[in-house]
Amino acid sequence: MVLAMTISLKNAVGDFFETEEKWMTLLLLSLCQLIPIVGPMVLIGYFTRRFALKRSGAEAPDFKFDDFAEYLQIGLWPTLAYLVLSLFFIPLMILAEIPMFVTIIKIGPEPESLAPMFIAMAVTYGLIILASLLLLFIASPVVLRSSLMKSFKDGFSKRFVFSFIKKVGLSFLLWTVLLWVLAIFASMLGMCAFF
């Protein structure tokens, strides 16, 4: 019997602000995001290490640049697992764009009405969102397991992926949609900061 679990956004945000140097940690993690390729690997490594320490009963550590190499090493395998998994979704993304291309070919260069084009765009974007959600649902447990096991191969456990989806599926979906909406507003605020 699989027990359903929920993801608590309040606990996740609250957990981040438990540490002593929370604002410096936030600043350093934001700077890491600006480093191509290596930055996301370091973030995954830091959060994996933080999660493992908290799970063992230790205090949540702040981000330290002295541990940069360790974070990078921990984040290597989950990043590679995600990249390999995302390669399998490229054909799915290409298939999602077929309605748009077929419509463009059918209506020609001078269409009488733009309605078919708008419908094709809506269908295409809907399919892309579905494909992205599918990738996220499969990639998240793969990255999580690969992080915790510190292994590329161990991340691809079909049993773990299905167990993860059964336990937190709906909660994870709602959490993801909320984060997407928040990301839109956060990116707008970030762009406004340049002006």
Side-chain angles (χ1 to χ4, degrees):
M1 180 178 167
V2 178
L3 294 172
M5 300 169 76
T6 58
I7 297 171
S8 170
L9 190 61
K10 179 185 167 200
N11 289 346
V13 172
D15 173 70
F16 185 77
F17 289 99
E18 282 179 5
T19 62
E20 215 173 286
E21 297 287 326
K22 54 189 158 272
W23 298 112
M24 185 55 77
T25 295
L26 183 62
L27 176 66
L28 293 174
L29 290 174
S30 300
L31 287 174
C32 282
Q33 275 292 96
L34 300 175
I35 304 170
I37 301 166
V38 172
M41 289 168 61
V42 169
L43 288 177
I44 290 171
Y46 167 71
F47 284 116
T48 300
R49 184 169 176 242
R50 180 182 173 120
F51 176 71
L53 286 170
K54 279 209 71 172
R55 220 171 149 194
S56 67
E59 282 188 29
D62 282 306
F63 186 91
K64 301 266 189 286
F65 258 115
D66 298 342
D67 298 329
F68 192 89
E70 186 181 344
Y71 300 147
L72 185 61
Q73 186 180 6
I74 295 169
L76 173 67
W77 297 120
T79 303
L80 287 176
Y82 180 80
L83 287 174
V84 167
L85 188 63
S86 62
L87 288 176
F88 290 101
F89 278 83
I90 291 173
L92 195 60
M93 291 295 191
I94 292 170
L95 287 173
E97 294 174 11
I98 287 176
M100 179 90 83
F101 292 122
V102 169
T103 305
I104 289 170
I105 291 167
K106 277 193 171 187
I107 65 172
E110 294 178 20
E112 293 176 17
S113 169
L114 291 177
M117 190 62 169
F118 287 123
I119 292 168
M121 283 174 52
V123 169
T124 298
Y125 286 127
L127 290 173
I128 288 172
I129 288 170
L130 285 174
S132 301
L133 279 173
L134 183 62
L135 172 61
L136 188 69
F137 261 77
I138 294 172
S140 295
V142 168
V143 168
L144 177 64
R145 184 169 168 84
S146 184
S147 301
L148 295 175
M149 303 296 284
K150 295 182 184 172
S151 163
F152 173 79
K153 189 179 99 175
D154 290 335
F156 293 92
S157 166
K158 193 165 58 170
R159 188 170 154 222
F160 182 80
V161 169
F162 286 120
S163 172
F164 179 89
I165 292 169
K166 282 180 187 174
K167 286 179 182 174
V168 295
L170 181 61
S171 178
F172 188 67
L173 175 65
L174 296 173
W175 180 76
T176 301
V177 170
L178 176 65
L179 281 181
W180 281 357
V181 170
L182 290 175
I184 291 168
F185 291 111
S187 62
M188 285 179 187
L189 283 173
M191 287 178 207
C192 289
F194 285 108
F195 298 104

